[in-house]
Structure formats: structure tokens, C-alpha cells
Amino acid sequence: MAANEEVDLLVIGSGAGGLTAAFTAADVGASVLVVEKAAKFGGTSATSGGGIWIPNSDDARAKGHADDPGEAFGYIKALIGDDVPDAKLHAYIDNAHRMLSYLEQKSEVHYTAYAYADYHMDVAGARGGWRTHDPIPLMADRLGKDFERMEPPHTLTLTFGRFTWTMEEAKLLLTMSPGAKSLLFKLMTRYIFDIPWRFKTKRSRRLTGGNALIGRLKLSLDQKGVPLWLNAPMVELLRENGRITGAIVERDGQKVTVRARKGVVLASGGFDHNLALRQKYLPGPTGDWSAGVPTNTGDALAAGTAVGAGTDLLDSAWWGPGFMLEGEDRARIMFVERALPSSIIVNQAGKRYMNEAASYHVAGGEMHRANSPEGPTVPSWFVFDARYRGKYMLGPMMAGKPSADKRIPAAMRKILRKSDTIEGLAREMGVDPAAFSAAVARFNGFAVKGEDPDFHRGVSAYDRHYGDASVSPNPTLAPIEQGPFYAIPIYPCDLGTNGGLSTDANARVLDTEGRPIDGLYAIGNASAAAMGRTYPGAGATLGPAMTFGWLAARHATRVNQ
């Protein structure tokens, strides 16, 4: 292996943003190299749901749901405020649908617009659906050996540890809506009787979500002949006469100097699993409570600041209430479970303090905002009854009768608290029985009427999206009254940090004075999020990562410059 390489564009990181940048540059004839620190490619993107938030896409318009870019801008501007320059917000709104259209036409990447409500339906410009897009499934055998080289789905997205779902299938199964059982039977049957594939792997041939997205991007790069190095961490950036000219990369135990004639794109994620940086920047208390891949330790942040880059939003993350299980190195975010009837969240004083059905980002953030000495919320308790237990899934715990509790996976049983009475459950949780009983009784009184005057659960279209349609008048509310009663401790986890290097509307990294650093770009969680400290809708992480990856590559290769 030569100790020196030279390409037009060097991409650090192999998530959705990085691979989009790599494909875009290669498509105009640039030579590109992608380097990945981990032993598998795809990063957190591959393990995610794979959704992207794209206002006014071609597919949405074709389905009769044309969007108003002005309304979309107004919506995110109202949420984000002054945390992000308007130029950067306009760059996203104006180019996100163009990026997706480009990939649809030029690459193997294909998406479908989905009726998934925006997360803040009370804000002007929000839409009840069709901005979130779900990747079209991909058959794994098309990837050949790359199937085993790609990061597998996060455990929380797998059924029986074997297969995943599309967004539409997930909604049906997790809420146990009419047709859920027949769908589960269909998916299981398809999986079980795919005999030739069963001889190769326990995982399903049908890839959905992030695996479908990353798999499709990798196929697209293969068609362009773009190499991707694994186990190849960036050591440091190279700078000459004020311009970033490449990076030193470690490969096979050897340091390789990679020169990049047109630029370097940092797409290596945030500092999710760097406990020292979490404790320095994020709200406390915090721990290693991230659903991001374990290799996200802040490499781009360190390399960028070493060459004078500015930073922003370092106190922010893509929050979500979640839990950790023994033997797992990543958090399990509770995307859906909190919205289902016969459940609540209480603090260590035994009291409710939030709308449990709000978006995961809002709910996770509320765990920080509501934390106080009088009512600590870290951890909080997710509480549910036998009715919930019998109908819905919770992490690795499949729906079942209390008599089947011994079959709950051991790691889940270890964190589970259980009692035949509410007072007994309070003692198991270590909270005041009187306060907890009063909170449950108050909730139950409201739930019978289908209302929540305390926190307005189930009022918005987003709240109801993951409710149980068979429960009325409010699909997110039912009393907690059927014993035995259960609880698990939950924490303010995250999908990744979203503060990082400061960038402009073309994803160029800015120095501490706000000036572009020539030759250096940052996208995704390596950069300060284009969405600021907010989360407008499902896919608001990957959508900007891919859009600004597209813009970075076009700028570096001087497309339309």
C-alpha cells in the first residue's frame, strides 16, 4: 500500500450525507475516496429508520400534496428562531427537493412520500404529512459481500432480531391497528420460507429503512467506481497556506497521506459516545446514552477545531426518552411506545410532567428542562398496566399476558419493575406511593373522558399518529387500571449530538471569525445542525445531511459555480 494517495474529493465518514456527497462528486467525473473509521460502513444512518424530511418533493406533488416552500420555511424558522442563519435555512428548503430529485434520476436511491405529520402541528406552516419520505426496500442479495460489510439495523428496529419494517408497516404493527396480525404473519412467512437466504444469514433478505438507503447509495458508488476504505480513521487534517489540502488517514496500521485537490468533506458524525465531551457540553446529568454508533466520538470536532474552525450548538442533541439494556452498547429510543394508551411517564416524585405522546425530541428535551431537586427526571419511570402489556411491544418485550413474563428477555426483566398494586409499584420504583397513586388516579379520570387538560396529550395530529385507532375518543389515552402494573427507568437519550462545526449555506466550514476555511466542508452531525435545536419532522436529521452533502460536493467540484 502506497503511503500517499491523491483524489479530487476526500469524504470522511460513510453515512447518508457522506455517501451522497461522494456520489454527487463522482457523477461529474471527480475522483473520490470515502474513508470510514469503523469496520462496517453506513454509520448511524444505516442503523436508523432512513427517513428524510423533504418539503415539496416530486413524489408528494405527484400524489396530490404539493407543498408551499414559503410555508415550509416559515415553519422551520418559527421553530429554529435565530439559532441558524436564514441563508442556511433557505439553502435547505430550496435544495432538499432538488437533491432528492437528482438522486432519484441519477442513482439507485428511491423514496416514497408518506402521510407522517410534522412534529409541531400547532406551528404555522406545519403539514399533516407528505414531507417525510421512506426509502424503498432493497433486496440484500444485490449488495453481494457488501451486505455483511454494512452496519446492521439497530436492535430496536428488528422484529425477533431478524427483519425490519417500512414506516407504514411499523405504524400498523406497533399500534396493533387492524391488519397488524395479518401483516406480521405475512412478514414472518416471507422471512421463514426464504430458504436459500436462510442458509446464508439469520437476517432478512428484504432491507428497509437505513439499510435500504445506505445499500442503495453504496450500489450507486460502486457504479461510479468509488473506493470505500474501512477501519481507516482520520488522524488529522492537512493545511497549506490556509487551505485544507487533505488528511492523514490510518489504514492497516500505516499512516497514509491523502491529498484532496478539491476539498475534504467531514461527515463522521457527532460526539455521541465521547463521555468527556458529553459532560462538557450537554445538559446534565448525562451518560453514554446514545443510539448512535459507538464510533461517533467527535473526530470531526477535534480535527476541525485544530485548524481553527468555529463551533455552534454544542449543547444540543437529537433527544429521545429511552433505556439501556445490559450487554448492549447503544440506547433504545422510545419512538412510539409513549403514545400508546394505558401508559404514562412520571418523575422520581411520582408525578407526570409532560405530554408523553409528543415527538421524541420534545419529550427527551423535556426530561432535561423539567429536571429539578424536587422532582428529578433522570431517570424517569415509564409506567404501564396489564392491558398495555397484553397488546403492545416494548423494546424486546413482545406483547403477552402477565403469565408469560418469565419469557421476557433477561436483560429487559433486569430493569422491569412489577407489582399487583399501584402502591406496590411505587415502592418498587422508590417513589412516594401517595403522590404516585394520586397522579395515576388523576390521569385515569381524564383518560376515561379522552382528554388531558394537564399536558394536552393526543390533541395534535402527530400525537395521534402512533395512537391506537381502536381506542376512542382519544387514541393515546386509556386508564392505567388493570393489574399487574409495570415500570421501567428511562433516560434523556439521543439519536446523536447535533452541535458541531459552524458551516455556511454551501456546507463550508467557517473559522472562529465566521470566514470560510478553504477546502473544508462539514455535514450531518459533524456540523452544527441546520435545524438548530429543533426537530421539525421525521427525517430532519438525514434530510439535511444528504442535502448539504449534495451542496458541498457541487460547490467543491464547481457545479453551477
Side-chain angles (χ1 to χ4, degrees):
M1 176 69 200
N4 292 282
E5 295 281 337
E6 187 168 358
V7 293
D8 289 323
L9 191 71
L10 172 62
V11 178
I12 313 293
S14 62
L19 297 189
T20 298
F23 175 80
T24 304
D27 187 51
V28 295
S31 59
V32 182
L33 171 64
V34 180
V35 298
E36 169 57 52
K37 174 183 180 180
K40 299 192 176 199
F41 68 86
T44 303
S45 301
T47 73
S48 73
I52 53 176
W53 191 80
I54 308 289
N56 200 34
S57 74
D58 293 346
D59 190 52
R61 289 195 300 273
K63 291 175 176 175
H65 300 282
D67 204 348
D68 183 337
E71 288 185 3
F73 175 84
Y75 171 61
I76 62 173
K77 177 63 178 176
L79 292 172
I80 295 167
D82 295 328
D83 281 345
V84 179
D86 284 3
K88 195 168 178 178
L89 301 184
H90 278 299
Y92 182 65
I93 295 299
D94 294 345
N95 288 290
H97 68 282
R98 295 176 61 211
M99 176 278 300
L100 182 56
S101 178
Y102 167 85
L103 289 180
E104 292 268 4
Q105 295 174 29
K106 296 271 194 172
S107 78
E108 294 277 349
V109 175
H110 298 289
Y111 270 89
T112 181
Y114 179 53
Y116 199 131
D118 286 340
Y119 288 172
H120 299 271
M121 292 300 295
D122 58 329
V123 176
R127 289 277 175 126
W130 312 106
R131 286 173 174 166
T132 291
H133 294 66
D134 194 25
I136 300 297
L138 171 71
M139 291 302 172
D141 49 330
R142 290 196 59 199
L143 295 172
K145 293 181 179 179
D146 274 343
F147 173 65
E148 295 295 341
R149 296 180 352 124
M150 180 171 63
E151 289 280 0
H154 192 300
T155 306
L156 68 85
T157 68
L158 290 167
T159 301
F160 307 122
R162 301 292 188 265
F163 54 84
T164 57
W165 322 311
T166 65
M167 285 185 181
E168 188 171 7
E169 292 165 351
K171 181 179 185 297
L172 196 68
L173 291 167
L174 292 170
T175 62
M176 290 308 294
S177 299
K181 291 183 179 179
S182 60
L183 172 61
L184 184 59
F185 178 77
K186 175 184 175 182
L187 293 174
M188 290 180 63
T189 301
R190 177 192 294 166
Y191 170 81
I192 292 170
F193 287 101
D194 188 3
I195 304 300
W197 194 251
R198 293 284 67 73
F199 282 113
K200 296 180 180 180
T201 176
K202 292 181 179 180
R203 287 174 54 201
S204 175
R205 186 194 301 259
R206 177 177 177 257
L207 305 180
T208 62
N211 260 208
L213 167 59
I214 294 298
R216 289 182 174 280
L217 281 167
K218 184 60 168 62
L219 287 173
S220 304
L221 288 183
D222 290 346
Q223 292 166 8
K224 299 294 182 182
V226 176
L228 193 165
W229 295 354
L230 297 176
N231 295 304
M234 170 185 60
V235 177
E236 63 178 304
L237 293 169
L238 299 176
R239 190 174 193 179
E240 298 175 11
N241 300 319
R243 175 181 171 80
I244 299 303
T245 57
I248 296 177
V249 175
E250 186 174 312
R251 191 187 192 204
D252 298 329
Q254 182 181 14
K255 289 184 178 179
V256 181
T257 297
V258 182
R259 300 285 178 181
R261 291 180 288 266
K262 297 182 181 295
V264 175
V265 178
L266 298 176
S268 54
F271 55 91
D272 328 350
H273 290 278
N274 187 319
L275 186 57
L277 292 180
R278 292 181 69 93
Q279 292 172 338
K280 180 178 181 179
Y281 293 119
L282 299 183
T286 188
D288 194 4
W289 302 332
S290 182
V293 290
T295 48
N296 288 347
T297 56
D299 295 9
L301 182 63
T305 54
V307 295
T311 60
D312 200 6
L313 306 174
L314 292 178
D315 62 337
S316 185
W318 307 108
W319 303 115
F323 56 93
M324 300 287 294
L325 294 181
E326 188 176 83
E328 297 183 357
D329 56 9
R330 302 172 64 186
R332 290 174 174 259
I333 306 295
M334 299 173 69
F335 294 106
V336 176
E337 299 91 338
R338 301 167 289 104
L340 294 167
S342 299
S343 68
I344 56 172
I345 292 173
V346 299
N347 60 21
Q348 292 179 41
K351 300 178 180 179
R352 287 182 74 211
Y353 62 94
M354 70 158 79
N355 168 12
E356 295 91 344
S359 77
Y360 41 93
H361 182 68
V362 168
E366 194 62 25
M367 296 184 76
H368 284 301
R369 288 185 289 271
N371 193 42
S372 71
E374 298 76 26
T377 58
V378 185
S380 291
W381 292 95
F382 179 68
V383 177
F384 55 103
D385 70 357
R387 177 194 173 281
Y388 185 108
R389 165 80 179 95
K391 190 171 185 181
Y392 312 119
M393 293 179 275
L394 176 58
M397 185 171 74
M398 304 302 292
K401 295 180 180 179
S403 59
D405 284 354
K406 289 184 178 179
R407 293 199 292 271
I408 296 172
M412 191 71 180
R413 289 203 311 271
K414 192 167 184 177
I415 68 169
L416 189 67
R417 304 291 183 267
K418 176 182 176 181
S419 177
D420 289 333
T421 66
I422 290 293
E423 293 78 7
L425 183 63
R427 288 188 285 271
E428 289 288 326
M429 294 156 54
V431 305
D432 178 64
F436 180 56
S437 297
V440 172
R442 181 175 175 83
F443 173 81
N444 286 350
F446 294 145
V448 169
K449 300 176 183 178
E451 60 185 33
D452 179 20
D454 288 343
F455 301 103
H456 312 294
R457 175 169 164 179
V459 170
S460 81
Y462 174 79
D463 288 9
R464 297 191 297 273
H465 183 81
Y466 282 122
D468 185 336
S470 70
V471 174
S472 61
N474 188 326
T476 77
L477 294 175
I480 299 171
E481 58 185 4
Q482 298 182 23
F485 303 96
Y486 302 84
I488 62 169
I490 60 174
Y491 298 83
C493 302
D494 61 75
L495 297 165
T497 54
N498 64 359
L501 304 179
S502 300
T503 58
D504 69 5
N506 283 304
R508 293 183 297 177
V509 174
L510 305 177
D511 67 16
T512 54
E513 300 298 322
R515 298 167 302 201
I517 298 176
D518 196 18
L520 185 61
Y521 303 82
I523 59 175
N525 292 349
S527 64
M531 296 299 156
R533 295 179 173 86
T534 70
Y535 212 138
T541 56
L542 294 186
M546 294 169 68
T547 300
F548 284 101
W550 184 69
L551 288 169
R554 288 167 64 86
H555 187 274
T557 56
R558 301 298 186 262
V559 173
N560 293 340
Q561 296 295 306

